[in-house]
Amino acid sequence: MKRTLTIVLFLGTLALLPRLQAQQTYLGGQVGIAVPTGTFNQVYQTGFGGHASFMYNLIEEGIWVNGQIGYITFSHSSTREDISGNWATVPLLGSLRYQLGKGNFRPYIGVSLGYNFVSRKLEIVKDVITTIRKDETEAAFGGGLLAGFFYPITPSLLLDATLSYNFVNTEQLEEGASYMGIMVGVAMPVNF
């Protein structure tokens, strides 16, 4: 199922490429921090990460369709010295952004939905001789709400800043993981 979904998304993107116009298609990237929320905050510290994105302006300065792949990691927040580890996700998301204004400062709101490939590594030191290591993975659906803005740095380069609330519907690795993301980056028009 996972492989079929990936192939369908890839082929769908390839089918759209000839129709995309340079002034409406953007490639970009963002980096930033991720602050765990809810019970996820009790186990992990503030994380960091980034993503690469593909954006298509569906309606001139109105609705943006966005696809992104990224990497976000959180360190275990245990105060005990015998426990260490991290929780990481590779989100493969699609989103819709509705641009609220025109001109230089262009705020937007939106929603995202997609798949997350999650991994967790834990190391527990029992004594000098015994160390328990757990490497686990899980794939889970996730989504989020987002708000941000575009601001032109140059005629061909946009500043893209986003605040998002994200949830990952994991069942085994920290059930119900959620975090706030603060990401800043750039986007530039491309011609296919």
Side-chain angles (χ1 to χ4, degrees):
M1 178 67 182
K2 294 178 212 173
R3 186 175 290 164
T4 303
L5 179 63
T6 303
I7 291 170
V8 168
L9 289 173
F10 180 72
L11 292 176
T13 302
L14 287 179
L16 286 174
L17 289 179
R19 296 182 177 180
L20 302 179
Q21 300 174 13
Q23 68 272 20
Q24 294 180 328
T25 306
Y26 291 78
L27 289 179
Q30 291 182 310
V31 295
I33 62 169
V35 180
T37 59
T39 57
F40 193 56
N41 184 37
Q42 298 170 6
V43 183
Y44 293 95
Q45 301 174 14
T46 298
F48 62 92
H51 63 257
S53 61
F54 170 85
M55 295 185 294
Y56 180 68
N57 190 217
L58 196 59
I59 298 174
E60 187 64 32
E61 295 192 20
I63 297 177
W64 294 78
V65 177
N66 181 26
Q68 70 184 40
I69 186 166
Y71 179 77
I72 298 171
T73 184
F74 300 88
S75 295
H76 201 278
S77 66
S78 176
T79 55
R80 296 172 41 185
E81 293 181 11
D82 60 337
I83 299 176
S84 63
N86 71 336
W87 187 96
T89 181
V90 175
L92 179 59
L93 303 173
S95 68
L96 284 176
R97 299 179 184 187
Y98 177 69
Q99 189 173 305
L100 300 171
K102 297 183 179 184
N104 282 338
F105 181 74
R106 296 177 285 186
Y108 59 80
I109 57 173
V111 295
S112 63
L113 188 64
Y115 223 59
N116 291 267
F117 302 95
V118 180
S119 66
R120 178 177 66 182
K121 295 182 181 182
L122 283 178
E123 187 171 288
I124 303 167
V125 179
K126 290 287 191 185
D127 53 46
V128 178
I129 300 172
T130 310
T131 300
I132 300 171
R133 289 184 179 86
K134 293 183 179 181
D135 291 341
E136 301 169 295
T137 61
E138 181 178 356
F141 282 103
L145 303 172
L146 52 102
F149 66 88
F150 297 121
Y151 189 84
I153 299 171
T154 68
S156 62
L157 193 64
L158 290 176
L159 173 68
D160 183 9
T162 308
L163 172 66
S164 63
Y165 172 76
N166 306 279
F167 66 90
V168 182
N169 194 26
T170 53
E171 295 176 359
Q172 300 168 357
L173 308 180
E174 273 41 80
E175 186 174 332
S178 62
Y179 60 92
M180 296 288 294
I182 302 168
M183 298 282 180
V184 178
V186 293
M188 63 177 145
V190 293
N191 189 2
F192 290 100

